[in-house]
Amino acid sequence: MSLDSADAVVVGGGVVGCSIAYHLARRGAEVVVVERDTLGSQSTGHCAGGVRRQFSSSTNVVMQQLSVQLLAGLEAETGVDPEFRHIGYLFVLTSDRQVEDFRRFLPMWHETGVTDARWLEPHEVRELAPLIQGDDILGGTFCPSDGIASPHAVTLAYSGAARRLGVKLLEGVTVDGIVQEAGRVQAVRTTAGEISATAVFNCAGAWAGEVGAMAGVDVPVKPYPRNIFVTNPMAEVSRRHPMTIDFATSFYFHPEGDGLLFGMGMPDEKPSFNTDVDWQVLDAMAEVIDRRAPRLGTAGIQTAWAGLYEMTPDHQPILGPVDGLEGFWCACGFSGHGFQQAPAVGYLLAQWFSGEQPQVPLDVFAHRRFATGNVEPENNVV
Ligand SMILES: Cc1cc2nc3c(=O)[nH]c(=O)nc-3n(C[C@H](O)[C@H](O)[C@H](O)COP(=O)(O)OP(=O)(O)OC[C@H]3O[C@@H](n4cnc5c(N)ncnc54)[C@H](O)[C@@H]3O)c2cc1C
């Protein structure tokens, strides 16, 4: 394959772009990945590593079932262990509305194959997550086979396997134009020259809107900075402590190294590409930490970083070809869940690109939903 032509150009070498490139190449496509920075250095490299199936949208649950299956086979397939630790995911619920919703989700999760998800009474929540406090806890849901995996390892697994299949992975190269003619993609312009291709995948994460604009396509993805803090060692906390989420506030934590990793969305978040750590977030979280997990507040902070969520209006990704510009595909707008969705998304879009029906129907993720209003919003966003 020459560098100046390909069957498909993937814009963005995060976990999503690498997964798509690998799965396309497995089916025989010639692929070039163009990454402005280094592979996995942006949202993927800033991610908390959570992998769960407890979503409100049944399509997301089914898609996540597939991702979990693919992660289970990743080492055999690529030689790289994704370091998936099944510590479980615990949602802590504190309002009648949440209890009603999550009790309704449970049968849906069971029907879609997440058979080990279960309801917990308040005392069971406290037993399972001893750091958690509060008389307002009404119950929780727990899925022991959910957990955390390594974004670095998964990206390496897909990029390495893709390279062995002949995929060209360009780092330090920026896409700055999409060439089109008569409603079809013809080529991708980059700082290293033009690559002729009749398909381009927009996997540009928080920058997907900019790449959409290069093609004249409105891709409604906005960047929202999120901060992560890691505490000093907390020897008394089990390394098997579940990923725990206070659903009302989105405050979450899980074991990381010898300490705990934690974060929270802020109610007044504004779109921005700024990834400097915002220490005021820690002040704003103090009240929640004090009320929900006070021991965590006394551990001290070992390190912190910030990355970008890539939000869409309905908190669902945009997947598949876009109407009006043949050959322009989107895999973006993961709204904070792209790491765990990347294995399934790569697999399903490669099925679709090869002319097969994707084994999970992807209609709810179509770009056209913003015009037709055919949306199935995701509510379990953390
Ligand atoms: C703090 C935090 C915690 C998170 N926790 C979780 C979690 O627990 N579980 C989970 O599933 N998800 C989580 N996420 C979300 C997850 O990290 C993202 O959804 C996922 O990494 C998206 O992957 P991506 O490949 O689409 O994006 P990215 O990793 O951002 O990759 C996009 C790439 O495109 C490149 N690019 C952009 N524009 C251009 C251009 N013009 N030319 C060339 N290259 C370009 C960028 O340099 C970038 O490397 C978290 C995110 C953050 C910030």
Side-chain angles (χ1 to χ4, degrees):
M1 180 181 60
S2 77
L3 253 192
D4 53 14
S5 80
D7 295 325
V9 172
V10 173
V11 187
V15 68
V16 172
C18 291
S19 169
I20 289 177
Y22 165 70
H23 284 104
L24 289 175
R26 253 188 90 211
R27 288 168 170 269
E30 293 194 330
V31 183
V32 177
V33 176
V34 185
E35 166 53 47
R36 173 166 66 190
D37 204 296
T38 52
L39 299 176
S41 59
Q42 301 306 307
S43 298
T44 298
H46 300 134
C47 157
V51 179
R52 66 172 152 112
R53 282 151 302 161
Q54 298 178 69
F55 283 90
S56 69
S57 143
S58 59
T59 313
N60 279 331
V61 183
V62 176
M63 197 156 77
Q64 275 312 103
Q65 280 283 74
L66 176 60
S67 263
V68 167
Q69 264 173 33
L70 292 168
L71 283 174
L74 195 67
E75 185 171 9
E77 201 172 336
T78 67
V80 180
D81 176 2
E83 297 166 31
F84 192 175
R85 296 200 301 125
H86 299 275
I87 57 174
Y89 247 79
L90 167 66
F91 279 89
V92 178
L93 307 174
T94 50
S95 79
D96 293 337
R97 177 63 201 269
Q98 292 165 12
V99 169
E100 195 183 304
D101 285 346
F102 278 74
R103 280 204 180 272
R104 187 162 39 81
F105 299 148
L106 267 167
M108 182 266 281
W109 294 339
H110 293 160
E111 275 158 31
T112 41
V114 190
T115 47
D116 58 341
R118 63 179 196 265
W119 179 256
L120 297 184
E121 294 302 330
H123 73 274
E124 295 173 299
V125 171
R126 289 193 197 90
E127 278 161 26
L128 193 66
L131 287 176
I132 283 284
Q133 290 194 7
D135 294 336
D136 56 341
I137 295 171
L138 300 176
T141 60
F142 179 59
C143 178
S145 57
D146 287 346
I148 50 176
S150 162
H152 173 72
V154 175
T155 307
L156 190 71
Y158 284 129
S159 58
R163 190 177 280 115
R164 289 193 291 280
L165 289 171
V167 172
K168 301 280 180 257
L169 297 147
L170 308 181
E171 294 180 286
V173 178
T174 301
V175 168
D176 52 19
I178 312 281
V179 181
Q180 46 183 294
E181 207 180 290
R184 289 191 63 109
V185 168
Q186 299 292 333
V188 174
R189 264 202 325 259
T190 81
T191 49
E194 198 166 289
I195 307 167
S196 74
T198 49
V200 53
F201 285 78
N202 179 359
C203 304
W207 298 269
E210 292 177 3
V211 172
M214 291 176 202
V217 176
D218 180 22
V219 176
V221 172
K222 293 218 163 80
Y224 282 85
R226 284 291 179 96
N227 297 267
I228 280 184
F229 305 93
V230 181
T231 69
N232 288 322
M234 296 176 74
E236 77 278 23
V237 180
S238 160
R239 298 299 94 197
R240 306 273 326 152
H241 193 292
M243 166 76 131
T244 303
I245 298 154
D246 178 49
F247 191 64
T249 59
S250 84
F251 165 54
Y252 68 88
F253 60 88
H254 68 65
E256 179 83 0
D258 295 334
L260 285 179
L261 177 154
F262 68 97
M264 188 173 112
M266 290 289 121
D268 55 352
E269 289 173 329
K270 304 250 179 332
S272 161
F273 284 106
N274 184 353
T275 50
D276 295 338
V277 173
D278 182 355
W279 292 97
Q280 284 177 356
V281 167
L282 200 54
D283 295 340
M285 289 178 72
E287 181 273 326
V288 177
I289 294 174
D290 218 34
R291 179 160 49 83
R292 195 58 75 212
R295 168 68 186 98
L296 204 150
T298 62
I301 301 299
Q302 188 181 137
T303 187
W305 65 85
L308 299 173
Y309 267 28
E310 357 72 304
M311 303 301 280
T312 61
D314 58 0
H315 302 150
Q316 294 279 33
I318 308 171
L319 301 179
V322 165
D323 293 344
L325 178 56
E326 208 172 315
F328 190 76
W329 292 61
C330 277
C332 52
F334 291 93
S335 304
H337 308 123
F339 167 58
Q340 57 196 295
Q341 294 185 320
V345 163
Y347 187 89
L348 296 169
L349 289 188
Q351 280 186 321
W352 197 346
F353 187 75
S354 314
E356 286 172 29
Q357 190 80 0
Q359 75 186 58
V360 177
L362 298 175
D363 312 354
V364 292
F365 305 126
H367 175 265
R368 75 174 72 85
R369 73 186 185 269
F370 302 110
T372 62
N374 180 21
V375 294
E376 181 186 314
E378 175 55 51
N379 299 323
N380 293 1
V381 178
V382 178

